[in-house]
């Protein structure tokens, strides 16, 4: 095993004073790397360095054109490192390399988008009454903390840090302890691009120690987290105590509605992608499939065939022909198993395909599934549709974060919408229909922050990404909204009236009667 990965603090690698983190390959169960972790003292030191960099103005008061140049350079340097980053991302997440080869190169779009935004952002001039010019600038907040999850380590880190750096903040990222390695690589890339020391740091560590110390620090002016709902509520309570700003992208239980007018093979392809990409470990995974009863049998047949096709082509994540990888950990595998078993053992759901941990040998490449955390792509159906049994299961209501989906039927558009909205979550949703009027009509009624029609999981730097219900979080990522969330509005009002006029109208306490202004 190579030397442990070091933290990235204020422009250099540094050892941490907390216990080393073992990093596991989810496909083999092997500990393949160790990573330094930040202690409370490390957090204090890093925040102090970040605050000093912010107060110095070396980045916070740098011209927007210079900041844009650095982000553009970072995009170019990131592209050059893609092969190494993809290989490491595959190893630590267990995700299939065919997924990572599609996802990781897209990261440069976020850096380029926010670089472009800096160059074209306009300063508003407000229509203030009187001889006044009132203009508004967006100024950075200060030190901001970003807590990222295990499922998309690089993607979510770059999605968050690009607008934060564009705005001029000092950024500290705490990656998931399960997948910290690729985020650490961003430090050297950003330094080489010209980012001043102190402006960007990466502190691996466990949430209860490193994460808590960061979030509760009084100098932290914003916390941005992607994670589970329970953790999001706990972090928000701490951040709120400091009156720090808070953005949270949390849980999801995305509905996907298939109407009778849809092209059914196209819809099934969309279900498979939305449900089984990243082994179902995404916040917008299409986990509740809601199908018009007129085409339910056909959809189930097509979906069963597609799901079994995927299962037969699972193997080593580094194999370009492998279609799906393992879950991230033994614990996550156990969570999925428990939810599926509860639905089946209570008689509420019937198994269509899948439903168990994989233990044999891959027909694709001989991978020993028993060493990793592989779970079959799984489809369940309501055991008694008239009784709506599926809606009584934990799997219908709780975020599984795994490749297990449920299918229910509906008879009317109203029923489909009711089923779709039957969740505490409201992050993503999908609609499959060839009826344009229906697409507009139903999308307006779906209670979700993001609704896709005849596609799924489209993600662009310009498109807001966030939930409509509190269990799915607060605020949004992406777009102008994310940039502005990393700033505060600074209003400047300049009186350009002549001295003579001001002496006449603005002397509140003059000795002679007469009208005076207010406001």
């Amino acid at each position: 095993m190579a030397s442990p990965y070091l933290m990235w603090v204020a422009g250099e690698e540094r050892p941490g004073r907390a216990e080393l983190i073992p990093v596991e390959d989810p496909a083999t169960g092997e500990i393949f790397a160790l990573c330094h972790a930040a202690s409370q003292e490390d957090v204090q030191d890093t925040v102090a360095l970040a605050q000093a960099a912010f107060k110095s103005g070396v980045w916070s008061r740098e011209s927007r054109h210079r900041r844009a140049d650095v982000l553009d350079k970072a995009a170019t340097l990131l592209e050059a490192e893609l092969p190494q980053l993809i290989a490491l991302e595959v190893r630590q997440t267990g995700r299939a390399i065919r997924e990572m080869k599609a996802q990781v190169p897209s990261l440069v779009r976020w850096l380029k988008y926010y670089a472009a935004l800096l160059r074209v952002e306009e300063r508003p001039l407000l229509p203030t009454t009187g001889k006044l010019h009132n203009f508004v600038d967006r100024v950075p907040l200060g030190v901001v903390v970003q807590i990222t999850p295990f499922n998309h380590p690089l993607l979510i880190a770059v999605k968050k840090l690009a607008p934060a750096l564009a705005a001029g903040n000092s950024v500290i990222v705490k990656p998931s302890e399960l997948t910290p390695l690729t985020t650490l690589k961003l430090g050297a890339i950003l330094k080489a691009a010209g980012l001043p020391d102190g402006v960007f740091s990466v502190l691996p560590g466990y949430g209860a120690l490193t994460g808590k110390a960061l979030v509760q620090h009084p100098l932290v002016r914003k916390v941005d987290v992607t994670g589970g709902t329970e953790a999001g509520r706990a972090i928000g309570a701490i951040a709120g105590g400091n009156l720090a700003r808070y953005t949270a992208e949390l849980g999801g239980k995305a509905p996907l509605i298939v109407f009778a007018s849809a092209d059914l093979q196209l819809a099934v392809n969309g279900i498979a992608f939305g449900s089984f990409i990243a082994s179902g470990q995404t916040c917008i995974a299409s986990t509740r499939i809601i199908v018009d009863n007129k085409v339910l049998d056909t959809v189930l047949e097509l979906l069963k065939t597609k799901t079994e096709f995927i299962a037969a082509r699972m193997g080593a994540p580094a194999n370009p022909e492998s279609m799906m990888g393992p879950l991230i950990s033994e614990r996550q595998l156990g969570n999925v198993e428990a939810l599926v078993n509860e639905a089946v053992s209570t008689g509420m759901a019937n198994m269509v395909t899948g439903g168990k941990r994989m233990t044999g040998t891959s027909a694709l490449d001989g991978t020993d599934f028993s060493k990793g955390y592989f779970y079959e792509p799984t489809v369940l159906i309501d055991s008694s549709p008239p009784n709506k049994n599926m809606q009584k299961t934990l799997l219908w209501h709780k975020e599984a974060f795994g490749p297990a989906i449920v299918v229910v039927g509906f008879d009317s558009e109203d029923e489909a919408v009711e089923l779709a909205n039957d969740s505490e979550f409201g992050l993503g949703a999908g609609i499959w229909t060839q009826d344009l009027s229906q697409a507009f009509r139903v999308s307006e009624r779906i209670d979700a922050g993001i609704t896709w029609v005849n596609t799924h999981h489209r993600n662009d730097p310009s498109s807001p990404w966030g939930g409509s219900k509190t269990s799915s979080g607060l605020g949004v990522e992406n777009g102008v909204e994310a940039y502005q969330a990393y700033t505060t509005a600074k209003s400047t009002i300049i009186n350009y009236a002549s001295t003579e006029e001001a002496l006449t109208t603005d002397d509140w306490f003059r000795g002679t009667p007469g009208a005076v202004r207010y406001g």
Side-chain angles (χ1 to χ4, degrees):
M1 188 183 300
S3 299
Y5 284 72
L6 297 167
M7 306 186 305
W8 182 266
V9 178
E12 64 180 10
E13 291 182 326
R14 294 190 185 183
R17 284 170 276 189
E19 185 178 346
L20 288 174
I21 299 171
V23 183
E24 185 179 25
D25 183 337
T28 65
E30 173 195 359
I31 303 299
F32 74 95
L34 296 173
C35 182
H36 280 264
S39 66
Q40 291 186 351
E41 293 79 10
D42 293 322
V43 168
Q44 295 292 330
D45 292 347
T46 305
V47 173
L49 290 168
Q51 176 72 359
F54 179 77
K55 297 296 287 184
S56 76
V58 66
W59 184 251
S60 58
R61 293 194 295 274
E62 179 62 276
S63 76
R64 60 180 50 250
H65 294 287
R66 171 61 182 156
R67 295 204 301 266
D69 289 344
V70 170
L71 292 179
D72 274 334
K73 182 68 178 297
T76 300
L77 295 175
L78 181 62
E79 282 185 307
E81 296 294 325
L82 287 177
Q84 293 79 15
L85 290 172
I86 289 169
L88 188 55
E89 195 83 322
V90 169
R91 189 79 189 275
Q92 68 174 354
T93 64
R95 289 183 57 183
I97 194 168
R98 69 201 304 263
E99 293 180 9
M100 292 293 93
K101 283 185 173 180
Q103 183 185 92
V104 175
S106 71
L107 305 184
V108 299
R109 294 185 297 154
W110 271 264
L111 295 168
K112 291 179 178 179
Y113 172 82
Y114 286 104
L117 182 63
L118 284 174
R119 293 188 176 104
V120 301
E121 183 189 24
E122 296 180 350
R123 171 191 279 175
L125 185 64
L126 305 183
T128 311
T129 302
K131 292 184 177 180
L132 303 170
H133 272 303
N134 184 180
F135 57 87
V136 180
D137 289 305
R138 308 298 309 192
V139 298
L141 300 173
V143 179
V144 301
V145 165
Q146 300 172 340
I147 299 176
T148 57
F150 68 79
N151 56 338
H152 307 290
L154 272 176
L155 173 64
I156 294 178
V158 173
K159 282 176 65 176
K160 292 181 185 300
L161 68 87
L165 291 176
N169 297 286
S170 293
V171 178
I172 303 172
V173 179
K174 195 217 77 77
S176 168
E177 65 273 14
L178 299 174
T179 55
L181 305 183
T182 49
T183 306
L184 287 165
K185 298 290 186 181
L186 294 174
I189 291 172
L190 289 167
K191 182 181 177 72
L195 190 71
D197 293 346
V199 176
F200 178 72
S201 295
V202 182
L203 296 185
Y206 294 97
L209 175 64
T210 308
K212 185 177 181 181
L214 281 166
V215 171
Q216 68 186 11
H217 198 291
L219 290 179
V220 170
R221 301 316 310 141
K222 178 179 171 68
V223 176
D224 188 340
V225 60
T226 295
T229 301
E230 183 178 346
R233 293 186 194 279
I235 293 168
I238 298 171
N242 287 334
L243 296 181
R245 298 194 184 194
Y246 187 51
T247 297
E249 195 261 80
L250 305 177
K253 197 71 186 173
L256 188 152
I257 304 173
V258 181
F259 287 102
S261 67
D263 181 295
L264 299 186
Q265 186 59 66
L266 194 62
V268 166
N269 292 346
I271 293 169
F273 175 77
S275 304
F276 302 133
I277 197 78
S279 304
Q281 298 171 118
T282 71
C283 50
I284 47 75
S286 53
T287 53
R288 297 182 297 130
I289 313 305
I290 302 164
V291 184
D292 192 316
N293 279 320
K294 292 189 289 293
V295 295
L296 179 59
D297 290 343
T298 303
V299 168
L300 278 174
E301 181 181 351
L302 292 171
L303 183 56
K304 182 175 185 292
T305 300
K306 175 65 76 171
T307 303
E308 292 174 350
F309 177 84
I310 295 169
R313 287 158 180 80
M314 291 174 62
N319 184 343
E321 296 183 13
S322 179
M323 290 192 169
M324 197 177 90
L327 294 169
I328 189 66
S329 66
E330 183 81 51
R331 178 182 178 182
Q332 188 59 31
L333 177 65
N335 291 341
V336 176
E337 285 181 314
L339 290 171
V340 172
N341 291 343
E342 184 267 347
V344 175
S345 65
T346 57
M348 297 297 176
N350 293 331
M351 194 71 66
V352 175
T353 186
K356 61 183 183 297
R357 181 175 187 169
M358 303 177 76
T359 56
T361 301
S362 167
L364 182 68
D365 57 20
T367 294
D368 185 352
F369 289 134
S370 65
K371 292 183 177 180
Y373 309 121
F374 293 87
Y375 192 83
E376 294 176 325
T378 298
V379 180
L380 299 94
I381 191 167
D382 198 321
S383 62
S384 179
N387 295 323
K388 297 185 176 180
N389 281 346
M390 188 65 78
Q391 291 172 261
K392 302 172 186 176
T393 66
L394 293 175
L395 189 57
W396 176 268
H397 294 285
K398 290 186 175 295
E399 187 176 34
F401 232 59
I405 64 175
V406 299
V407 182
V408 298
F410 68 87
D411 292 313
S412 69
E413 191 175 289
D414 286 343
E415 184 184 5
V417 172
E418 182 180 357
L419 286 165
N421 290 336
D422 180 31
S423 175
E424 67 174 298
F425 302 106
L427 185 56
I431 300 169
W432 292 80
T433 178
Q434 295 298 312
D435 183 335
L436 183 61
S437 297
Q438 184 177 63
F440 277 101
R441 191 169 60 244
V442 175
S443 64
E444 288 181 345
R445 299 176 63 191
I446 298 295
D447 196 355
I450 314 157
T451 300
W452 293 282
V453 178
N454 296 330
T455 189
H456 203 86
H457 204 162
R458 298 286 185 172
N459 189 7
D460 187 86
S462 64
S463 180
W465 182 283
S468 63
K469 298 180 182 179
T470 54
S471 289
S472 287
L474 301 169
V476 298
E477 295 179 329
N478 296 347
V480 177
E481 292 90 342
Y483 168 77
Q484 292 186 342
Y486 276 103
T487 68
T488 189
K490 178 180 175 60
S491 180
T492 302
I493 303 167
I494 298 176
N495 181 359
Y496 62 88
S498 67
T499 301
E500 292 77 11
E501 183 177 352
L503 286 170
T504 301
T505 59
D506 283 2
D507 183 0
W508 267 76
F509 301 104
R510 64 177 180 263
T512 58
V516 292
R517 62 94 185 165
Y518 188 86

